[in-house]
Amino acid sequence: MKIEEFTLERIQSLYENTVEYNLSDSGVHPYSLRELLSPEQQNALLDVELGYGWTNGKVELRQAIANLHPNRTPDHVIVTNGSAEANFLLVMSVLEPGDELVVFVPNYLQIWGWARAIGVTVKEVLLREELGWIPDLDDVRKAVSGRTKMMTVCNPNNPTGSVLPRETMDGLVAIARHHGIYLHADEVYKGAELDQDEPPSFADLYEKAIITSGLSKAMALPGLRIGWLVGPVEEIYASWQRKDYTSITTGAVSEFVAEIAVQPGKRQEILSRSKKILRENLALLQRWVNANGDLFSFVPPKAGGMAFIRYAMPVNSTELVHRLREERGIMLLPGDVYGLDRHIRIGVGAPAHHLETGLERLADFVRSDLK
C-alpha cells in the first residue's frame, strides 16, 4: 500500500520543537495536571493501577461521553489514542476499495490520505471563502453520486475556524439521508465557538452520522491522547475489532483524567478557559492584521484555535514558512498543506505574549527581509 506523505504532520513533527516561537499549533495552551485536578483527584490518581483496561475504553468513560449525546449508550462509543486513531479506525471500518468519499476542503487531510491509500475515490467539495468558508449545498449535491459511501466534514473547520450554520448542517443531513450514506464529522473543535452557543453534534441529527472528537483541541488536553468515535452500534463495534490490530487500549492514567474532564461541569469550565484565551488572542491578531492590512487579510474564525490568513506577497507559502523558521525562529503552517497557496495558518491558542512576539517577527520579516 502506497501512502502519500501527510505533509501537515510531517512539517510539524520535524520542526515544531526546534523553534523559539511555535505558532503552528491549532489547539489551546494545555493544562498541567496540577491545574486541572483538585488535590483529592491528584491523590486518587496516584492509586490508579497501571494495567490493561477495556480495549474499547473504560465503561465509565464511554458512558460519560455517551451522556454528551441524547439517547446514546457506551455501545455507541469507542475510546481511542487521540482523534487520529479514531479517524484511522473509521476509514478501515466503513470504507473499502472502490468506494467514493466526498471530502470538504480545506480540511485536516488524514482521512483524505488514508482513503486514497486503500483505493477509495476521493472527491472534493470546496468551502467557499466568499461564503465565510461554508460549502454551497448545490456543490455537495453535484458531488454525491450513486457510488458515494460517506461524506466527511470538519466542523468547526480546520484551518479556517468556520462554523456551519444550522441550516447548512440540516442540508448536509438531508443529502446524506436521501442517498443513505454515512456522514462523518470531525468535531474536535466543538465547544470552542466564540460568538454563539455550542451547536448540536451531527451525531444528534442523523442516524448514520459518525463523529470524531477528543480532548486535544477545544479541551486543551492533547497530552492525554484521548479521542473517540460516536456512531451506530454496528459500525462502532467494527472499529473496536480493528482496534485489536492497532493500539489495543488507551492508557489507564489518561482514562482516569479524561473521565473527570468530560463531566458536564468540568467540561464547561475547560471550554470557558479555552474561549477566554481564544477571544483575547483573536482580538490581538485582528489588531495585527488591521495594522498590516496591505499584506494580510482573513475571514475571522468563529471557533477553534487557529486563523487562516491570506497574504499578498509573491512568494510560495512553503518557502515563506521555511524562511521564517530558519531566519526568525517562527513556526507557521503553509497553505500548501491544504492545497491553498498564498495562505498561512496561525495558531491563536498560545499564551498572548508568545503570539504577539511571533506576529511582530513575522511583520518585521515580511517588510524588511522578504525579497
Side-chain angles (χ1 to χ4, degrees), residues 54 268 275:
W54 284 82
Q268 288 306 313
K275 287 187 278 192

Side-chain angles (χ1 to χ4, degrees), residues 50 100 116 156 195 202 206 226 231 294 297 330 332 365:
L50 301 180
E100 189 174 86
R116 286 166 61 92
D195 56 4
F202 273 104
Y206 178 43
I226 291 290
D294 57 325
S297 62
I330 310 166
L332 305 172
F365 172 82

Side-chain angles (χ1 to χ4, degrees), residues 76-142:
H76 293 94
V77 179
I78 184 170
V79 179
T80 61
N81 283 277
S83 55
E85 186 184 32
N87 285 339
F88 172 76
L89 295 176
L90 168 77
V91 170
M92 295 304 176
S93 303
V94 173
L95 299 177
E96 297 178 358
D99 284 342
E100 189 174 86
L101 171 70
V102 172
V103 179
F104 295 82
V105 292
N107 201 329
Y108 184 72
L109 294 177
Q110 181 196 8
I111 289 175
W112 179 94
W114 271 122
R116 286 166 61 92
I118 66 170
V120 172
T121 299
V122 176
K123 297 170 71 173
E124 298 180 352
V125 172
L126 293 177
L127 304 180
R128 296 186 175 271
E129 186 172 7
E130 67 273 17
L131 300 179
W133 297 110
I134 300 299
D136 185 319
L137 291 178
D138 284 337
D139 293 342
V140 182
R141 295 184 186 99
K142 293 173 185 176

